[in-house]
């Protein structure tokens, strides 16, 4: 197992922290990393690190946290996917340091977070995350939430990856099993896993399969586009770790896809 897949496979959403603030070294590393957590869509994501007590920040589903990081992006085409890509890069880096995180879009006092993050009218703050060290045991509430969304379940690769046309399962090419697995393990809102990928030659085309109910808002954007950005981040990170050079572009190949499916981006090798 490669290092990046180890991080992806071992990382989980943390909602129960041990009450310790981040040590100075970890905080500084995260801040420095966030400054360069880019994405292939050309959208700058602004990260704001916040002291929970000083700023009056909390969540009904998080315990023991001392700090948060908010992610902010200007409103523009594919800002949601760009946000997901950059924020997940920070999440994975945090996991490599042993710092726990969880994506939060709904279970927070959004107005308070937006105020202390100095959100402007042309920006949106899709998600935030607590930062800290995981407690030895999950709280009962956390275990219940994980069971409720089936947090440890993932769709089979044949339901996510298609060969040339929509719906034809892909026989995973040699050397790509870890990258495919990295996509399967990506986190998503209520574990809907809305990404689908059509492989055509040396190009892998990523799509959003839209779900019904509550995934798009003016304040948070399209949460499922964010999810596709996360999956795209996992795929590219795994390929880069394996030494495979990639180029990410936005050029719709115009495949015949079902209604409710939207093209997002292409990874070319």
């Amino acid at each position: 197992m490669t290092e990046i897949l180890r991080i992806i496979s071992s990382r989980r959403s943390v909602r129960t922290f041990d009450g310790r603030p981040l040590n100075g070294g970890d905080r500084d590393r995260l801040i420095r990393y966030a400054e360069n957590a880019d994405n292939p869509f050309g959208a700058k994501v602004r990260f704001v690190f916040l002291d929970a007590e000083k700023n009056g920040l909390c969540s009904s589903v998080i315990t023991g946290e001392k700090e948060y990081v908010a992610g902010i992006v200007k409103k523009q085409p594919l800002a949601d996917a760009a946000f997901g890509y950059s924020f997940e890069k920070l999440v994975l880096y945090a996991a490599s340091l042993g710092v726990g995180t969880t994506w939060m879009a709904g279970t927070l006092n959004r107005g308070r977070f937006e105020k202390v993050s100095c959100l402007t009218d042309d920006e949106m703050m899709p998600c935030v995350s607590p930062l800290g060290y995981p407690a030895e045991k999950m709280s009962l509430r956390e275990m219940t939430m994980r069971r409720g969304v089936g947090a440890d379940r993932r769709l089979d690769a044949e339901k996510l990856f298609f060969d040339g046309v929509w719906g034809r399962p892909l026989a995973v090419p040699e050397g790509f099993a870890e990258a495919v697995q990295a996509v399967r393990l990506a986190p998503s809102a209520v574990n809907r896993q809305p990404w689908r990928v059509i492989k055509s030659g040396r190009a892998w085309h990523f799509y959003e399969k839209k779900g019904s109910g509550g995934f798009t808002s003016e304040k948070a954007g399209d949460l499922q586009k964010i999810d596709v950005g996360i999956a795209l981040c996992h795929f590219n990170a795994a390929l880069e770790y394996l030494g495979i050079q990639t180029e990410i572009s936005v050029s719709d190949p115009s495949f015949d896809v079902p209604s409710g499916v939207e093209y997002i981006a292409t990874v070319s090798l």
Side-chain angles (χ1 to χ4, degrees), residues 33-183:
Y33 188 87
E35 292 174 354
N36 298 297
D38 58 0
N39 60 77
F41 301 99
K44 176 65 176 176
V45 177
R46 177 165 67 91
F47 294 92
V48 183
F49 290 80
L50 300 163
D51 182 288
E53 184 175 357
K54 287 181 181 179
N55 292 286
L57 304 174
C58 63
S59 167
S60 61
V61 300
I62 306 294
T63 58
E65 82 283 16
K66 299 295 183 183
E67 300 172 57
Y68 284 89
V69 59
I72 296 165
V73 64
K74 285 193 174 182
K75 298 173 183 176
Q76 63 186 70
L78 291 176
D80 328 74
F83 179 91
Y85 195 104
S86 290
F87 204 91
E88 182 65 2
K89 287 181 74 171
L90 183 64
V91 163
L92 293 177
Y93 182 67
S96 75
L97 300 176
V99 174
T101 56
T102 191
W103 286 77
M104 294 173 54
T107 53
L108 69 151
N109 183 335
R110 180 168 289 278
R112 182 64 185 165
F113 274 91
E114 290 178 351
K115 181 178 180 180
V116 298
S117 299
C118 300
L119 193 76
T120 62
D121 290 341
D122 63 343
E123 294 178 322
M124 62 180 181
M125 188 189 74
C127 298
V128 306
S129 173
L131 297 171
Y133 303 107
E136 288 188 10
K137 294 182 178 180
M138 297 184 199
S139 68
L140 178 60
R141 177 186 296 166
E142 180 172 7
M143 290 188 289
T144 301
M145 289 183 67
R146 290 184 63 82
R147 284 195 300 268
V149 299
D152 297 318
R153 294 196 303 269
R154 292 295 188 273
L155 295 173
D156 293 336
E158 64 184 19
K159 295 182 178 180
L160 300 173
F161 289 84
F162 305 136
D163 185 5
V165 297
W166 184 273
R168 181 165 65 196
L170 175 70
V172 178
E174 184 177 353
F176 287 86
E178 289 192 334
V180 167
Q181 180 68 351
V183 173

Side-chain angles (χ1 to χ4, degrees), residues 9 40 61 122 124 134 173 181 205 224 226 242 245 250 252 264:
S9 61
V61 300
D122 63 343
M124 62 180 181
Q181 180 68 351
H205 306 286
Q224 294 197 316
I226 292 172
L242 294 169
Q245 189 171 2
V250 179
D252 191 343
I264 301 299

Side-chain angles (χ1 to χ4, degrees), residues 8 11 13 88 91-92 103 154 182-189 191-195 226-228 230-231 234:
I8 287 171
R11 186 260 165 195
S13 296
E88 182 65 2
V91 163
L92 293 177
W103 286 77
R154 292 295 188 273
V183 173
R184 288 189 63 242
L185 295 175
S188 58
N191 202 25
R192 286 291 185 92
Q193 303 159 65
W195 48 82
I226 292 172
D227 293 340
V228 178
I230 296 171
H234 278 210

